[in-house]
Amino acid sequence: MRKSRKGYVVQLAYDYTNMLVTPYSKSWGFSVAAYGDMDALPLYQEIEVQDVRSMQTASVYGKWAKTRTSLGGVMKEQGYELGVEGYGYLAGGRVYPSVEATGNFGTLVPFDRNTSFWLRTAAGHNFGDEESVFGTTYFGGFRNNYVDNRDAFQYRTTLAMPGAAIDAIPAHSFAKATAELNLRPLRLNNFGALFCYPTWIQCSLFGTGLSAWNPHTSHKMYYSTGIQVTTELVFLNYLKTTLSIGYGHLFAPSGFDGGRRGNNEFMISLKLL
């Protein structure tokens, strides 16, 4: 998934996070942006815009969380994360608003230390013209870049659907749920060289169900299963990076992507710092 686009963007954004009362955290923010000379949507690199070359966007979000990590863990292992976001386009003199809500709930598995189970849910609706690309949400792919600076576990984001091509699944309204099992990390000692060595390896298993509604078509269900193996690497004793390798398989309804009912995706990503 590329982050760059043809054209230019001018953006103003503000983000606020309060983590003073552990383990609670809350954050909120907003942004406004103007895009020009664009040939694809800002959020969806594979969705071309035929008759609009400039657009404006605005977004506002709020997030609330209470999460914990036990001794020896490498990620958040239990708690909850709640969020709501509004996003809108102004393009061609028309407004295309949308709203999305997320809720993630996790708990430690009692029979194995540092093993956690999470249920991640999301739902959204577009209020704009249902026939326009601006009034649609698109799903697909692990959504990691080959070299990235974001969180290594991009399959947890709303738009991810491992096994499908990026932005291959359209939805005017959607509901999504992901069940995820994060296995206990394997700690590594006396392995590697002084200038480069791994500290831990961790494996995550997940299954996702996506319910998509579009105008003039029947309701469709998509299912994805996959695995991601992640390891933390340390360079020169100070510089930490994360290497992730993943595989996803999509189970799609008939008629999807040239009539194929299933599709495979392999992912490799290096998260810097």
Side-chain angles (χ1 to χ4, degrees), residues 10-230:
V10 178
Q11 185 178 38
L12 174 66
Y14 175 81
D15 297 282
Y16 171 84
T17 300
N18 186 334
M19 303 178 64
L20 297 179
V21 183
T22 305
Y24 298 92
S25 69
K26 60 181 178 180
S27 59
W28 64 273
F30 66 87
S31 68
V32 291
Y35 295 84
D37 295 333
M38 298 286 291
D39 58 5
L41 293 181
L43 296 179
Y44 311 107
Q45 66 186 45
E46 300 297 331
I47 306 303
E48 296 182 355
V49 180
Q50 300 294 334
D51 53 354
V52 177
R53 286 295 178 264
S54 63
M55 66 195 77
Q56 295 75 47
T57 66
S59 67
V60 59
Y61 73 89
K63 296 180 180 179
W64 303 265
K66 178 186 177 183
T67 55
R68 295 179 184 271
T69 302
S70 58
L71 185 64
V74 298
M75 63 178 63
K76 300 299 183 182
E77 296 174 334
Q78 59 182 322
Y80 64 83
E81 300 169 334
L82 306 175
V84 61
E85 180 179 8
Y87 188 89
Y89 292 100
L90 175 59
R94 304 185 67 177
V95 178
Y96 302 87
S98 63
V99 64
E100 173 191 316
T102 58
N104 305 325
F105 309 90
T107 183
L108 280 167
V109 175
F111 56 79
D112 193 22
R113 180 176 178 177
N114 296 125
T115 296
S116 63
F117 175 82
W118 281 83
L119 177 64
R120 306 182 185 274
T121 63
H125 178 71
N126 290 272
F127 297 94
D129 182 4
E130 59 189 21
E131 302 292 344
S132 171
V133 294
F134 293 98
T136 304
T137 302
Y138 299 89
F139 302 82
F142 272 90
R143 308 197 80 83
N144 294 72
N145 293 304
Y146 290 119
V147 179
D148 216 328
N149 65 338
R150 303 169 300 165
D151 185 82
F153 299 90
Q154 287 296 306
Y155 70 83
R156 297 171 178 171
T157 60
T158 299
L159 300 180
M161 198 66 182
I166 295 176
D167 305 334
I169 302 175
H172 187 66
S173 300
F174 69 90
K176 180 184 177 186
T178 298
E180 174 188 316
L181 181 64
N182 300 304
L183 302 182
R184 177 176 58 180
L186 174 64
R187 297 286 180 173
L188 303 174
N189 296 313
N190 301 320
F191 184 80
L194 182 62
F195 64 89
C196 178
Y197 57 90
T199 58
W200 51 262
I201 299 176
Q202 188 273 332
C203 178
S204 297
L205 308 171
F206 59 88
T208 301
L210 172 64
S211 184
W213 291 268
N214 287 292
H216 314 305
T217 61
S218 59
H219 164 247
K220 294 183 178 180
M221 288 293 302
Y222 302 83
Y223 302 95
S224 174
T225 61
I227 181 174
Q228 179 169 316
V229 178
T230 304

